[in-house]
Amino acid sequence: MQTPETIEAMRVAGRIAARAMAEAAKAIAPGVTTDELDRIAHEYMCDHGAYPSTLGYRGFPKSLCTSVNEVICHGIPDSTVLRDGDIVNLDVTAYIGGVHGDNNATYLVGDVDEESRLLVERTRESLNRAIKAVRPGRQVNVIGRVIESYAKRFGYGVVRDFTGHGINSSFHSGLVIPHYDSPHATTVMRPGMTFTIEPMLTLGTHEYDMWDDGWTVVTKDRRRTAQFEHTLVVTETGADVLTLP
């Protein structure tokens, strides 16, 4: 459980992360490189006194993750040029005041096909539904149950091996928040617990391959995938989202 002071510090970190993500997202367009998005988010965080949590984390070389189309998560910004019709996820975490704030969202690049647009919209909705399911006294597996039951309505895959996580003064505190209905996720939510929910839904299989860079995770069938994430704290009555711009 985090103290009220820690939670307020996390709200500051979360706001900076959300605003850095929004700044980078403004630049999303066909012809823009993922490196350029990284530069914008990096500068925003530094200009506001924060450090990009991912930069140097276990050797990760950049200040945010950019995951395009079939990349599930942890895509490394580089000279890749966004093309009309792509979807791209930006995952931004800011460290300031001794704590982290972590969020991500998937954006449309130019004119995107209906199937991809719906995937993005419904992934966002799955996160919203999961946040509404947070209540003290419930087990954390209610979160995955809500996400998976919603995703199944559309025949989407739900990524299992990458999860939400506890977050506070540690980027990843050890608490695991599965996005599928896991019988093992029996931790009971208590007021003051802080963690992320970050569902990854796919048009096809939930299975994945890892690139040789040791970070980039892609769907095994190379079909598209979307993700949304907030950091939140459990309150007496539900959840308070800490990553709001």
Side-chain angles (χ1 to χ4, degrees):
M1 299 328 117
Q2 306 307 313
T3 64
E5 294 73 27
T6 298
I7 290 162
E8 284 317 301
M10 288 181 68
R11 199 184 302 280
V12 171
R15 187 179 303 131
I16 291 172
R19 289 178 176 171
M21 182 172 76
E23 275 306 303
K26 283 181 194 167
I28 291 173
V32 173
T33 65
T34 53
D35 255 343
E36 174 64 6
L37 304 178
D38 177 74
R39 183 191 67 76
I40 294 167
H42 177 91
E43 284 184 7
Y44 187 93
M45 285 185 271
C46 294
D47 288 349
H48 292 81
Y51 183 86
S53 303
T54 58
L55 185 57
Y57 177 75
R58 295 185 178 170
F60 191 84
K62 298 287 178 145
S63 297
L64 82 167
C65 301
T66 50
S67 301
V68 182
N69 296 337
E70 73 275 13
V71 180
I72 294 171
C73 57
H74 305 155
I76 301 173
D78 58 13
S79 57
T80 298
V81 175
L82 296 176
R83 293 168 313 189
D84 190 53
D86 283 348
I87 60 174
V88 58
N89 178 277
L90 305 185
D91 192 336
V92 180
T93 310
Y95 180 74
I96 185 171
V99 294
H100 300 267
D102 185 1
N103 69 163
N104 78 53
T106 303
Y107 299 90
L108 310 179
V109 184
D111 188 20
V112 175
D113 69 86
E114 179 78 350
E115 186 180 45
S116 300
R117 229 168 33 74
L118 285 171
L119 173 69
V120 170
E121 205 174 282
R122 289 162 177 167
T123 305
R124 182 193 286 116
E125 174 63 14
S126 78
L127 172 60
N128 293 340
R129 287 173 181 232
I131 291 169
K132 288 187 181 124
V134 171
R135 286 279 183 289
R138 290 180 175 174
Q139 295 181 343
V140 296
N141 59 11
V142 71
I143 293 166
R145 192 172 307 135
V146 165
I147 292 166
E148 188 172 41
S149 65
Y150 180 69
K152 273 187 169 163
R153 282 166 44 180
F154 311 104
Y156 296 151
V158 180
V159 172
R160 300 167 81 90
D161 292 318
F162 300 89
T163 65
H165 53 90
I167 183 170
N168 38 65
S169 55
S170 304
F171 191 177
H172 299 86
S173 75
L175 174 65
V176 171
I177 308 290
H179 302 119
Y180 64 97
D181 188 2
S182 167
H184 308 297
T186 54
T187 303
V188 173
M189 294 185 257
R190 302 268 180 239
M193 276 174 74
T194 48
F195 52 82
T196 71
I197 304 176
E198 45 187 299
M200 292 149 258
L201 304 187
T202 66
L203 288 176
T205 183
H206 68 268
E207 294 179 356
Y208 68 93
D209 292 321
M210 173 89 73
W211 284 5
D212 292 343
D213 63 21
W215 285 104
T216 308
V217 179
V218 296
T219 55
K220 202 171 252 311
D221 57 10
R222 304 300 188 264
R223 296 194 70 195
R224 287 185 170 191
T225 173
Q227 182 183 19
F228 283 84
E229 173 185 27
H230 275 306
T231 295
L232 52 90
V233 58
V234 181
T235 65
E236 298 294 341
T237 55
D240 183 11
V241 174
L242 301 176
T243 36
L244 295 174

